[in-house]
Structures are given as C-alpha cells and as structure tokens.
Amino acid sequence: DFIADEVMASVRANPESKFFAVSQNDTVEPCGCDKCREAYEKFGASGALIRFINKIARKVKKRVREEFGDREVYIVTFAYYFSVKAPVVKNGGKFIFSPRASLGFIPNFDQNLTFRLASGLYYQSPFYKELRTTVQDEHGNSIIQLNKDLKSQRSIHVIAGGDYTFRASGRNFKVSADMYYKKLDNLNPYTVDNVKIRYYGENCAQGHAMGLDVKFFGEFVPGTDSWISFSLMKAEQSIRGSEYVPMPNSQGYNVSLFFQDYFPGYKRVKLNLKGVLSGGLPVTAPRTGYEEGYFRTPTYKRVDLGFSYQLAGGTDAIMDRGFFRNLKNIWLGLDIFNLFDIKNTSSYYWITNIDNHQYAIPNYLTGRQLNVRLIVDF
C-alpha cells in the first residue's frame, strides 16, 4: 500500500504522463528476508519482482479508475543485476524457461498514437483432470490412470497492436486494435459434453490460433461511455495427425456494442443498449473427438435494454443532509435481459435409439429476464 500511495502521488503530480516506473534498488543482491527467499525459490528473482510489480499495478489501476475515470496509466520496471534472468517455473521436477518481451512506442509526431509489440513463450502445467487417461488392461477392461509422462502445453505468442486517442465535437474517443498469432505444441485435446470436460490425457495434438480484435469507444453522447467491438478468431488443432479441426473455443467472430444516452431533455434518466452477435461453437457427440466429426451450435444473438433513474445526487438539496453527505449518487435501475427472448443454445442432450443412432436435443440459455438494481456511490 505504501508504494501504491507513492505511485498515486506521482500520478496526481504528472497529469500528462502515462508511464510510471517502479523498479528495484541499485544493488547486486536481492532482499534476503524469509518471504522473499521463498518467492525466489518458487518463481526466481525476476519472477518474484514481476509478481510484486503486478500487485502494485492492480492497486494503482483500481485507484486511477476511481479517481480519474478512463485515464491511461502504465507501470513499468527494469530488469538488471539479479532480475536479468527470465522467470522460471518449476513443474514436476522439470524446469521451464518462459522468456517474454514487450515493446511500446509513442511516436514524436503524434503523442496520441501508441504502438505495441509483444512476444513470449508460455507453458501451461497439467492439473489432475488433464493427467487422467483411459487404457486397456490385460483383460480388455477400460481403466483410468494418471499419465505421469504428460508434458506442459506450450504456446509461442506474437501480438501486435496499437491505440489512437482523439477528440471530436469536444468529446474523447479511442480506437484500439490487436492482431495475434499463437503456435501451439504438446496440446492435450479435450471435448465438451454439456458441462463436462473430457481430456485425452496425452500430448497428441498441435495447432495454432490467430485473430484480430478492434474496439472503438468514447463519449458518443457527452458524459456517457459507449463502445463497439469486432473480433475474428480461428483456432485449429491436428489430433494424432488428423486434418486440422476447430478447437472447442473457436467461435469465429464476435460483434458487441454498448450504447448509453440520456432521456431527451431530462438527464436524470439514462438508457443503455447492449447487443452481442457471435458465431457458434464446435460440438461433437459424447465420447468422440473433433477429428471424428463435428457441427456448430447456432449463432449466438442477444440484446439487453436498461434504464437508470438518478434518485439523488449532484447539487440536490438532500445531499447536504445527514447521512446523504457521505454519498455521491443514488441510482435506481431496471434491466431487460435478452429483450427479444431469443433461444440461444448452450449445449446438447444426446439421445440414442435402439438402432444406436444419436440425436442432439438442444439445451437453451435463459430467456427474457427482468432485473431491478440500486446503485449507491460513496
């Protein structure tokens, strides 16, 4: 908290700055207390430092949002002396090297433009459910055992993007875009059957994921935040040498929007509209893999409509009385979720007839709902 307080003091004193440094002292040896030594043993010196910096960054981000709204503040640090070596994760007696790099650039000709480039080698250590695999014993019975030779799944990420902030008609706007590519190795494939996830229990696949995310947000109406986003993603895997098939989370596309406005002539009433349109997810029959065939759920469509009424706030006389002096605003809201009562498919219930033919019966997500909310800002 002390360091977060110091960072916030610098943020307040430098309203035009975006980047604030939190770095180690100029010393060859790191801190030698018991807690730090334990962290060095588990994450390495640089890993312990990065975890500490991230904790400070989360605290600062929360405070900046509360105090300055959408102001951009970034916490940066340096790697030198004992933190030069990349973080190391210990996994079942195996040491995993996970180097990562990130570069940000703001050109002199336009301080409102930011470019980003990041890359890294990531590992995901297996947990219990991933270790389980089905094998045949000498009598032909299927038994479950743990695959002790299972490796961590590996991903090489490359991400390039940028932000552009500008003002139009006296209001703030921002466009953000990112492109990414991930090379995936040692994959442990899985299937989704309703809410049950079944892993193959072996490193039998390789794949890739690529996509584009674009978001445009700002004050389309003065004093309100709105945004629209568009995403494309293609995630594929080859299982045991098969042709490339989609991964369970390969949705294809997603378009989302959130728009706010005041009731004409009366700013105590706010209206908000939220919409989502996205591609269906790939589905397989129970106990069969994607390499054996799949189909996709129908397109996901949903529209939400909300109303908010300011009961008290601002210069209202009641805000100077008693308990209300401690409050900033009181809002009463009504939301209509899934306004058009669209039946979106979440999963399938499978039925097998006497001829061993399987039929998929859709399970639907919740239909139209009403929600009442009370928001009190202190």
Side-chain angles (χ1 to χ4, degrees), residues 120-360:
L121 176 61
Y122 298 81
Y123 288 90
Q124 178 178 304
S125 301
F127 55 91
Y128 174 71
K129 280 191 175 182
E130 294 183 55
L131 294 167
R132 296 175 53 178
T133 184
T134 303
V135 298
Q136 301 286 330
D137 64 12
E138 63 273 16
H139 304 294
N141 300 314
S142 296
I143 60 174
I144 302 296
Q145 69 178 26
L146 300 183
N147 181 2
K148 297 181 179 179
D149 296 323
L150 190 68
K151 300 177 182 178
S152 296
Q153 299 180 90
R154 185 178 67 177
S155 173
I156 300 175
H157 293 201
V158 178
I159 303 172
D163 299 324
Y164 180 64
T165 58
F166 62 95
R167 289 180 63 83
S169 301
R171 287 166 280 171
N172 297 316
F173 293 91
K174 180 178 178 180
V175 179
S176 180
D178 289 283
M179 295 184 297
Y180 59 88
Y181 178 82
K182 303 179 182 181
K183 185 179 183 298
L184 311 172
D185 298 303
N186 295 332
L187 292 180
N188 181 2
Y190 67 91
T191 60
V192 180
D193 179 11
N194 200 342
V195 295
K196 186 171 185 177
I197 297 177
R198 291 189 175 95
Y199 291 91
Y200 283 51
E202 53 182 303
N203 302 112
C204 59
Q206 61 181 1
H208 55 260
M210 63 187 77
L212 169 69
D213 294 320
V214 180
K215 189 173 184 179
F216 176 43
F217 52 99
E219 297 180 53
F220 294 96
V221 175
T224 64
D225 292 324
S226 303
W227 51 261
I228 182 170
S229 66
F230 173 72
S231 299
L232 293 174
M233 184 181 76
K234 185 177 183 180
E236 296 180 317
Q237 59 185 340
S238 173
I239 304 174
R240 298 184 178 128
S242 70
E243 295 183 358
Y244 276 93
V245 294
M247 301 183 73
N249 62 343
S250 184
Q251 203 167 31
Y253 64 90
N254 180 283
V255 180
S256 301
L257 67 87
F258 179 74
F259 181 77
Q260 292 188 95
D261 196 358
Y262 292 107
F263 193 81
Y266 193 55
K267 288 196 172 184
R268 280 187 176 274
V269 179
K270 276 186 180 182
L271 309 177
N272 66 77
L273 178 69
K274 183 177 181 180
V276 179
L277 175 67
S278 58
L281 294 170
V283 178
T284 66
R287 300 190 180 281
T288 60
Y290 292 97
E291 72 275 20
E292 300 175 60
Y294 66 91
F295 64 97
R296 288 185 178 271
T297 60
T299 301
Y300 179 89
K301 294 166 284 188
R302 173 168 165 168
V303 175
D304 298 337
L305 182 64
F307 304 87
S308 299
Y309 176 72
Q310 187 183 38
L311 296 175
T315 58
D316 292 349
I318 194 175
M319 303 305 290
D320 295 325
R321 302 175 187 172
F323 173 75
F324 291 94
R325 294 177 180 174
N326 302 312
L327 308 180
K328 294 181 180 178
N329 292 287
I330 304 176
W331 291 85
L332 179 65
L334 172 66
D335 298 301
I336 307 175
F337 297 134
N338 198 356
L339 177 65
F340 299 113
D341 199 26
I342 299 172
K343 303 299 183 184
N344 289 302
T345 301
S346 63
S347 60
Y348 290 92
Y349 180 77
W350 292 83
I351 297 178
T352 305
N353 65 10
I354 58 174
D355 297 320
N356 207 32
H357 293 157
Q358 292 184 310
Y359 299 89

Side-chain angles (χ1 to χ4, degrees), residues 1-25:
D1 289 335
F2 171 76
I3 296 179
D5 291 341
E6 292 296 310
V7 174
M8 285 303 301
S10 296
V11 171
R12 297 185 191 99
N14 299 273
E16 301 300 324
S17 299
K18 289 185 178 180
F19 300 93
F20 298 86
V22 179
S23 302
Q24 67 194 60
N25 290 329

